[in-house]
Amino acid sequence: MLKRSVSQAGDDAWLVYEQIILAALDEGQIDLAKSVLFILDTRFKDSQRVKRLSGLVMEALGHTDEAQTLYTEMLEKDATNVLASKRLIALLKSQGQIPLAIRELVTYLDTHGNDFEAWLELSHLYLSQHLYPQAAFCLEEVILQQPANHYFHLHYAELQYTMGNLDVALKEYLRVVELSTDNVRGFYGVKLTADRLMTESKKGKSSGNKKDQQSNRMDNVPQQATLERLSELATERLVSVYNRASDTSKKTAEKWLKE
Amino acid sequence: MTEYTISLQAYAKAVLHCAKYPWATVHGLFLAEKKDGKVRMVDAIPLAHNWTQLTPMFDVALQQAQVYAKTKGWSIGGYYVAYEDTETTQLSASGTLLARAVSAGSEGVVAFVIDAKKLGPGSAQPGLVPYLNVDSQWKEQSGAFSGAKSKGGAATFVLENNRVLASTLKLVAERADIGIHDFDEHLDDVTLDWLQNNALSERIRTA
């Protein structure tokens, strides 16, 4: 059946073969993948695309050293080979060699700086190594390329909050709620950051302690009045959304919102 | 020396949370009932399976969980985490920070790393590695649940009864994990009850 449908496909057959290999690998049918790979290898000698597929088969068989050698060779011949780069990075990542994976991904991004998904991947790799400022830089690149996507602003807001930059976090959370409707995470974020900024600036003012005032190093903190109105807005939107919630969550959320 | 008991509800929910998101790092809280110097983990509140190193929603969830616990006369007794990398049972740097945040609101909080290797049918012990906060450092209590006194003799850990492991395996096999909803899911759909997971609790009770 396979042979019949493939001969009907004509030149598209080669694409189908490639997909069969990928599907077979996903399903663990490595022998099938190998036999189809042989067909492609016979037709397309010395093809980068076929080489990458054979690398995938090696990975599936657990021959990671062979695969790594293959990808490295491909990159030595052509440093801009996208297929080889991505496979090498994925391989290093699966082996837990995160610092090396980061190095390779940075090299890849030097040439392919408009691949925002790669920047996102790099951000996650940095995060796993607790390198927060580097992760933030990568997310900024993603946002530059995808400015209307609220998900990335949300990710960036949460990272900035984690880093203690509440003023930036608040700004980004506001962007999130601007770009999407009644975004619960967004409004929780607005309320959380606005409330904390209000508390911290009160602390800074009431203690005559210079150290406390200096520790409030954030540059773009809005005025108290603005913070209060933002907090109220977030509360109002959350209450409205929670009207649909189940009892326990609703009661608990409302208690939290009132504090 | 404190005696910690882990109930079926707490253990099963934590394991089901992992089962629902096997590719991700997941974490959550344990609710504790304290009586006569003994601590019983009565339930689990699953928190997140995404962006688990980022803290804002964790802060919101923790505060709400504390409000909820108080209404039942309980406290937040534990923090559990299962890492994406199943080889490690070491509490990570961010795990330490989060466990410390949980400790700020309660006394005697225990951090648990879930040991994926001990979750299968062949395991005679629960897949939980407890960490106690001793002198501002989280120390692993190796050998906990083995019946012997844990290293340092600071605490003993037991499961509620000898059916906990079998019941949990059964629930996982029955795909009961579909019924668990964490705070991440709640943020996408506020009608989901992340604090109690009532329907699942009932199913666990009758397992």
Short mmCIF file of all heavy atoms in Angstrom, two decimals, chain A residues 225-254:
data_model
loop_
_atom_site.label_atom_id
_atom_site.label_comp_id
_atom_site.label_asym_id
_atom_site.label_seq_id
_atom_site.Cartn_x
_atom_site.Cartn_y
_atom_site.Cartn_z
N ALA A 225 -1.31 57.82 44.01
CA ALA A 225 -2.71 57.90 43.57
C ALA A 225 -2.95 56.99 42.36
O ALA A 225 -3.95 56.28 42.29
CB ALA A 225 -3.06 59.35 43.24
N THR A 226 -1.98 57.01 41.44
CA THR A 226 -2.11 56.15 40.26
C THR A 226 -2.09 54.69 40.65
O THR A 226 -2.89 53.88 40.16
CB THR A 226 -0.97 56.42 39.27
OG1 THR A 226 -0.84 57.81 39.08
CG2 THR A 226 -1.21 55.74 37.94
N LEU A 227 -1.17 54.36 41.57
CA LEU A 227 -1.07 52.97 42.01
C LEU A 227 -2.38 52.51 42.63
O LEU A 227 -2.85 51.40 42.40
CB LEU A 227 0.08 52.81 43.01
CG LEU A 227 1.49 52.94 42.45
CD1 LEU A 227 2.50 52.93 43.57
CD2 LEU A 227 1.79 51.81 41.48
N GLU A 228 -2.99 53.41 43.43
CA GLU A 228 -4.25 53.03 44.08
C GLU A 228 -5.33 52.77 43.05
O GLU A 228 -6.08 51.80 43.16
CB GLU A 228 -4.71 54.15 45.02
CG GLU A 228 -4.27 53.92 46.46
CD GLU A 228 -4.54 55.11 47.34
OE1 GLU A 228 -5.66 55.67 47.23
OE2 GLU A 228 -3.66 55.46 48.14
N ARG A 229 -5.38 53.64 42.04
CA ARG A 229 -6.44 53.47 41.04
C ARG A 229 -6.20 52.20 40.23
O ARG A 229 -7.14 51.49 39.85
CB ARG A 229 -6.50 54.70 40.14
CG ARG A 229 -7.26 55.84 40.81
CD ARG A 229 -7.11 57.14 40.10
NE ARG A 229 -7.52 57.06 38.71
CZ ARG A 229 -7.13 57.92 37.78
NH1 ARG A 229 -6.31 58.91 38.09
NH2 ARG A 229 -7.54 57.78 36.54
N LEU A 230 -4.92 51.87 39.97
CA LEU A 230 -4.62 50.65 39.23
C LEU A 230 -5.03 49.43 40.03
O LEU A 230 -5.61 48.47 39.51
CB LEU A 230 -3.13 50.58 38.89
CG LEU A 230 -2.66 51.53 37.79
CD1 LEU A 230 -1.14 51.49 37.68
CD2 LEU A 230 -3.29 51.17 36.46
N SER A 231 -4.74 49.48 41.34
CA SER A 231 -5.10 48.37 42.20
C SER A 231 -6.61 48.19 42.23
O SER A 231 -7.13 47.06 42.18
CB SER A 231 -4.55 48.60 43.62
OG SER A 231 -4.90 47.53 44.45
N GLU A 232 -7.34 49.33 42.31
CA GLU A 232 -8.80 49.25 42.34
C GLU A 232 -9.34 48.69 41.04
O GLU A 232 -10.27 47.88 41.03
CB GLU A 232 -9.39 50.64 42.58
CG GLU A 232 -9.45 51.03 44.04
CD GLU A 232 -9.70 52.53 44.22
OE1 GLU A 232 -10.25 53.15 43.27
OE2 GLU A 232 -9.35 53.06 45.28
N LEU A 233 -8.75 49.14 39.93
CA LEU A 233 -9.20 48.65 38.62
C LEU A 233 -9.02 47.14 38.53
O LEU A 233 -9.93 46.41 38.13
CB LEU A 233 -8.40 49.34 37.50
CG LEU A 233 -8.55 48.71 36.11
CD1 LEU A 233 -9.96 48.92 35.56
CD2 LEU A 233 -7.52 49.29 35.14
N ALA A 234 -7.84 46.68 38.97
CA ALA A 234 -7.56 45.24 38.90
C ALA A 234 -8.55 44.48 39.78
O ALA A 234 -9.09 43.44 39.38
CB ALA A 234 -6.12 44.97 39.35
N THR A 235 -8.78 45.01 40.98
CA THR A 235 -9.73 44.36 41.89
C THR A 235 -11.09 44.25 41.25
O THR A 235 -11.73 43.19 41.26
CB THR A 235 -9.84 45.14 43.22
OG1 THR A 235 -8.54 45.33 43.75
CG2 THR A 235 -10.71 44.42 44.21
N GLU A 236 -11.55 45.36 40.67
CA GLU A 236 -12.88 45.39 40.07
C GLU A 236 -13.00 44.36 38.95
O GLU A 236 -13.98 43.61 38.87
CB GLU A 236 -13.15 46.80 39.55
CG GLU A 236 -14.53 47.01 38.98
CD GLU A 236 -14.48 47.75 37.66
OE1 GLU A 236 -13.74 48.76 37.58
OE2 GLU A 236 -15.17 47.31 36.70
N ARG A 237 -11.98 44.30 38.09
CA ARG A 237 -12.05 43.34 36.97
C ARG A 237 -12.01 41.92 37.48
O ARG A 237 -12.68 41.03 36.96
CB ARG A 237 -10.87 43.57 36.00
CG ARG A 237 -10.92 44.83 35.14
CD ARG A 237 -12.27 45.23 34.65
NE ARG A 237 -12.92 44.18 33.87
CZ ARG A 237 -14.24 44.09 33.68
NH1 ARG A 237 -15.04 44.96 34.24
NH2 ARG A 237 -14.75 43.13 32.96
N LEU A 238 -11.18 41.66 38.52
CA LEU A 238 -11.08 40.30 39.04
C LEU A 238 -12.40 39.88 39.69
O LEU A 238 -12.84 38.74 39.52
CB LEU A 238 -9.92 40.19 40.03
CG LEU A 238 -8.53 40.16 39.39
CD1 LEU A 238 -7.45 40.29 40.43
CD2 LEU A 238 -8.34 38.88 38.59
N VAL A 239 -13.02 40.79 40.45
CA VAL A 239 -14.30 40.45 41.09
C VAL A 239 -15.31 40.08 40.01
O VAL A 239 -16.05 39.09 40.14
CB VAL A 239 -14.82 41.64 41.94
CG1 VAL A 239 -16.27 41.41 42.33
CG2 VAL A 239 -13.97 41.82 43.18
N SER A 240 -15.30 40.86 38.94
CA SER A 240 -16.25 40.58 37.87
C SER A 240 -15.99 39.20 37.25
O SER A 240 -16.92 38.45 36.99
CB SER A 240 -16.14 41.70 36.83
OG SER A 240 -16.38 41.21 35.56
N VAL A 241 -14.73 38.85 37.03
CA VAL A 241 -14.42 37.56 36.45
C VAL A 241 -14.78 36.43 37.42
O VAL A 241 -15.32 35.39 37.04
CB VAL A 241 -12.91 37.47 36.09
CG1 VAL A 241 -12.52 36.06 35.75
CG2 VAL A 241 -12.61 38.41 34.94
N TYR A 242 -14.51 36.66 38.72
CA TYR A 242 -14.75 35.61 39.71
C TYR A 242 -16.21 35.34 39.97
O TYR A 242 -16.55 34.35 40.62
CB TYR A 242 -14.02 35.94 41.02
CG TYR A 242 -12.66 35.31 41.07
CD1 TYR A 242 -11.53 36.03 40.70
CD2 TYR A 242 -12.50 33.98 41.44
CE1 TYR A 242 -10.28 35.44 40.71
CE2 TYR A 242 -11.26 33.38 41.46
CZ TYR A 242 -10.16 34.11 41.09
OH TYR A 242 -8.93 33.52 41.10
N ASN A 243 -17.10 36.18 39.49
CA ASN A 243 -18.52 35.90 39.68
C ASN A 243 -18.91 34.58 39.07
O ASN A 243 -19.91 33.97 39.42
CB ASN A 243 -19.37 37.03 39.10
CG ASN A 243 -19.60 38.12 40.12
OD1 ASN A 243 -19.76 37.83 41.30
ND2 ASN A 243 -19.62 39.35 39.68
N ARG A 244 -18.03 34.12 38.12
CA ARG A 244 -18.35 32.85 37.48
C ARG A 244 -17.72 31.67 38.20
O ARG A 244 -17.93 30.52 37.83
CB ARG A 244 -17.79 32.86 36.05
CG ARG A 244 -18.55 33.76 35.11
CD ARG A 244 -17.98 33.66 33.72
NE ARG A 244 -17.07 34.74 33.42
CZ ARG A 244 -15.83 34.56 32.97
NH1 ARG A 244 -15.35 33.36 32.79
NH2 ARG A 244 -15.06 35.60 32.71
N ALA A 245 -16.94 31.94 39.25
CA ALA A 245 -16.13 30.86 39.83
C ALA A 245 -16.91 29.99 40.80
O ALA A 245 -17.99 30.33 41.25
CB ALA A 245 -14.93 31.46 40.54
N SER A 246 -16.29 28.88 41.18
CA SER A 246 -16.89 27.99 42.18
C SER A 246 -16.75 28.64 43.55
O SER A 246 -15.92 29.49 43.76
CB SER A 246 -16.17 26.65 42.18
OG SER A 246 -14.90 26.81 42.77
N ASP A 247 -17.52 28.17 44.48
CA ASP A 247 -17.57 28.79 45.81
C ASP A 247 -16.25 29.00 46.53
O ASP A 247 -15.93 30.11 46.91
CB ASP A 247 -18.48 27.95 46.73
CG ASP A 247 -19.91 28.44 46.63
OD1 ASP A 247 -20.08 29.63 46.31
OD2 ASP A 247 -20.83 27.65 46.84
N THR A 248 -15.50 27.91 46.72
CA THR A 248 -14.30 28.03 47.54
C THR A 248 -13.31 29.01 46.95
O THR A 248 -12.83 29.91 47.62
CB THR A 248 -13.58 26.68 47.71
OG1 THR A 248 -14.55 25.66 47.75
CG2 THR A 248 -12.74 26.68 48.95
N SER A 249 -13.02 28.82 45.64
CA SER A 249 -12.03 29.69 45.01
C SER A 249 -12.50 31.13 45.07
O SER A 249 -11.73 32.05 45.29
CB SER A 249 -11.80 29.32 43.56
OG SER A 249 -11.80 27.94 43.38
N LYS A 250 -13.82 31.30 44.85
CA LYS A 250 -14.35 32.67 44.79
C LYS A 250 -14.22 33.34 46.15
O LYS A 250 -13.72 34.44 46.26
CB LYS A 250 -15.83 32.59 44.37
CG LYS A 250 -16.48 33.94 44.21
CD LYS A 250 -17.87 33.76 43.61
CE LYS A 250 -18.71 35.00 43.82
NZ LYS A 250 -20.11 34.77 43.49
N LYS A 251 -14.64 32.62 47.20
CA LYS A 251 -14.59 33.23 48.54
C LYS A 251 -13.17 33.58 48.91
O LYS A 251 -12.90 34.66 49.43
CB LYS A 251 -15.14 32.22 49.59
CG LYS A 251 -16.62 32.25 49.73
CD LYS A 251 -17.07 31.62 51.05
CE LYS A 251 -18.32 30.77 50.83
NZ LYS A 251 -18.09 29.37 51.13
N THR A 252 -12.25 32.65 48.64
CA THR A 252 -10.86 32.88 49.00
C THR A 252 -10.28 34.04 48.21
O THR A 252 -9.60 34.89 48.76
CB THR A 252 -10.04 31.60 48.73
OG1 THR A 252 -10.73 30.50 49.27
CG2 THR A 252 -8.68 31.72 49.35
N ALA A 253 -10.58 34.08 46.91
CA ALA A 253 -10.05 35.16 46.08
C ALA A 253 -10.58 36.49 46.56
O ALA A 253 -9.85 37.48 46.64
CB ALA A 253 -10.41 34.93 44.62
N GLU A 254 -11.89 36.52 46.89
CA GLU A 254 -12.47 37.79 47.33
C GLU A 254 -11.85 38.25 48.63
O GLU A 254 -11.60 39.44 48.82
CB GLU A 254 -13.99 37.65 47.45
CG GLU A 254 -14.63 37.66 46.06
CD GLU A 254 -16.13 37.54 46.09
OE1 GLU A 254 -16.70 37.26 47.17
OE2 GLU A 254 -16.74 37.72 45.02
#
